Amino acid sequence: MLPEACLRLVEFDNMQVDIFTQVIVPVIGGLGIFMLGLEFMSNGIQALAVNKMRALLAKIAGTPSKGVLAGTFITGVIQSSTAMTVMVVGLVNAGVIGLRPAISVIMGANIGTTLGNGLIALPLGPLGLLLAGIFALVHIFAKTDKLKNIALACMGFALIFYGLNLMTGGLRPLRNMPEVMGVISALRADTYMNLIYCVLIAAGITAMIHSSSATIGIVMGLGAAGILDWKTAVAFSLGADLGTTITSWMASLNLSKNAKRAAYAHISFNIIGVAITIPLFFVSMDVLTWAMQWFGGDPGIPVVKDGKETFPLVPVAVGLYSTFFNIFNTVLLFPFVGVFERVLLKVGASSADDVEDYSQPRYLTKATDHGHAVEAIRRETGRYLEAATLFLDIARGRPDAPDKIEEHYAAIDILNRDIRAYTSGMFTPDMPYPRADLVASLIEEEDFTASLGETLYQIARRVERQPFGEHGRKLVDTVLDRVGEALGAIVPIDEDKPTANAVAEPRIMGLLALRERCLRLGAELPWVERGAILALLGSAERAFFLVERIDSERRSVSREVPAMAAQQVRPAE
């Protein structure tokens, strides 16, 4: 049975609130849907053509200035800096945009959310559920992977809105608690200490309801009703900008280091802005009072309407100050985007960060001629194979191996797509047959190397998921050693005299001997381990054949391009 405290009805202002069904359920459920939506969106984007997405976003937010404009415009349209920031964190996690443009987009998002503070409550929550349902059906019944991934990303983004809406609705009854409202109405930002209290309380409220616009809307209502004086209401808007950073931090908890750094950029950006603004607060109030003469007059002067005093200019003052604060903050910190990036790259830095980022091509630059392009592809393919061999280090449990097998697999998958796109771009209508034959051979080699990378990933994943005892571990280590020895025939790519022969047949005979040892072991090798080892032997056999096929493909067509012929071919992009 559920605790009685969870089921009891609480009465506030003649309104009964069921704490369990009206607060706990929607808050926890909304949080789960929010996190699931972020995961869906990130996975959908990752599975799409990441290189095309990267190029598209480079046009929109490839530079800090364009990033600020993109963040301002998009957030101004959707009226949610929280959703915009969460989306940016998801895109960083998917590897679509880098940290520097993400920082500038977040700066722009802070400005964009102030452009429509008059439109506090957009019905995005129910719309999010409707869109999530539509895209879920598309995802289920789609016939192509591309459409499925687009639907998955869109469904995730819609669920983010719906999850935030559920959390906000679940916490809405707490607004009627006399204790909460009593604390708010008792505060006055008349000293620096009270100002800090106001900022912190507003930050806490915003962190709970996950919407700075909603907090500012509440503050506007309290100020217009005279519950808060107008300067205190303005102070609360500062806290709202601070509290909205909690959502991006929550969104990054289970994501990559760069995604966490994007969230930290949002947090540090707003904290620095608030820290700079607080000492200037009372001076800025004098400036705001002077500026309000063009917007109706002194916001502290009440207007009597229907026998009741109201302060209709308080919302105007709050909105004006919030807009000014975010623009001032962006103008002040925008020149330091590079500094932000360098500092944030040190946050959470470890020896794992010294491992090369294989999701980014190193050699696929604009080619000066055909020979240059072929050499770039050859080197990048070799780099892909070096990255794939790290799966064996993961399987062996080496401390310097990549931390997360899935992230490493995703990184080299992106690299393989970039290599294929670059190679395909070498084809030209007037290309002579020998050159076309070479490009085709390179593409075939890339296909075999991708299959080898997939096989090594499967080996590492099987070893990682299945614990082995003493006897089983010896067999596993033997398999890994023999696969590593076979890779010496093709890695490193510049090796004039490979350390091993690429012929698969002798190695397969060795696998048969290991298979016999595995089957002859008795109770000392549990059946679960025995099955996993037999599966590993099958993967090792595939790896041997692929190594032989890659070596054969390299020998089938010479990778050397004569200088004169190279100059006759249009440079590869």
Side-chain angles (χ1 to χ4, degrees), residues 74-301:
I74 296 173
T75 310
V77 172
I78 67 175
Q79 274 304 297
S80 176
S81 63
T82 297
M84 180 63 183
T85 304
V86 167
M87 182 174 66
V88 170
V89 170
L91 292 174
V92 172
N93 185 64
V96 174
I97 60 175
L99 183 59
R100 177 174 290 202
I103 294 172
S104 61
V105 170
I106 290 171
M107 287 183 173
N110 280 0
I111 298 176
T113 193
T114 65
L115 299 181
N117 273 334
L119 305 174
I120 295 300
L122 293 179
L124 295 178
L127 182 61
L129 180 60
L130 174 63
L131 293 176
I134 293 173
F135 286 117
L137 293 174
V138 173
H139 178 74
I140 291 171
F141 294 107
K143 300 298 183 182
T144 64
D145 289 339
K146 181 177 181 180
L147 185 57
K148 280 181 175 289
N149 292 325
I150 292 174
L152 183 65
C154 293
M155 178 174 62
F157 188 60
L159 286 176
I160 289 172
F161 279 112
Y162 183 60
L164 290 173
N165 182 74
L166 279 181
M167 284 189 283
T168 302
L171 291 167
R172 188 175 294 118
L174 300 183
R175 300 175 188 172
N176 298 315
M177 292 181 64
E179 294 86 353
V180 175
M181 300 310 296
V183 170
I184 294 175
S185 59
L187 284 172
R188 292 181 63 86
D190 50 3
T191 65
Y192 281 111
M193 187 59 65
N194 287 343
L195 171 61
I196 294 174
Y197 286 153
C198 291
V199 170
L200 294 178
I201 289 176
I205 294 173
T206 305
M208 287 192 296
I209 65 177
H210 301 285
S211 174
S212 60
S213 293
T215 300
I216 290 176
I218 296 171
V219 169
M220 286 178 176
L222 293 173
I227 298 175
L228 290 178
D229 74 282
W230 74 276
K231 292 183 180 179
T232 304
V234 169
F236 267 63
S237 69
L238 279 179
D241 285 309
L242 190 62
T244 191
T245 62
I246 300 300
T247 303
S248 59
W249 171 75
M250 287 171 50
S252 70
L253 287 179
N254 198 34
L255 302 182
S256 66
K257 286 185 178 180
N258 255 4
K260 288 184 174 68
R261 288 163 179 158
Y264 297 156
H266 188 208
I267 294 170
S268 58
F269 177 68
N270 282 18
I271 288 177
I272 292 172
V274 171
I276 293 174
T277 306
I278 283 178
L280 303 174
F281 180 78
F282 295 107
V283 175
S284 65
M285 289 301 94
D286 294 336
V287 175
L288 182 60
T289 302
W290 172 79
M292 282 298 296
Q293 63 183 311
W294 284 282
F295 295 91
D298 189 344
I301 297 177

Side-chain angles (χ1 to χ4, degrees), residues 46 50 54 94-95 359 409-419:
Q46 179 69 64
V50 178
R54 187 188 298 122
S359 67
Y409 174 72
I412 68 170
D413 181 59
I414 294 172
L415 179 61
N416 181 258
R417 296 185 200 182
D418 286 339
I419 296 173

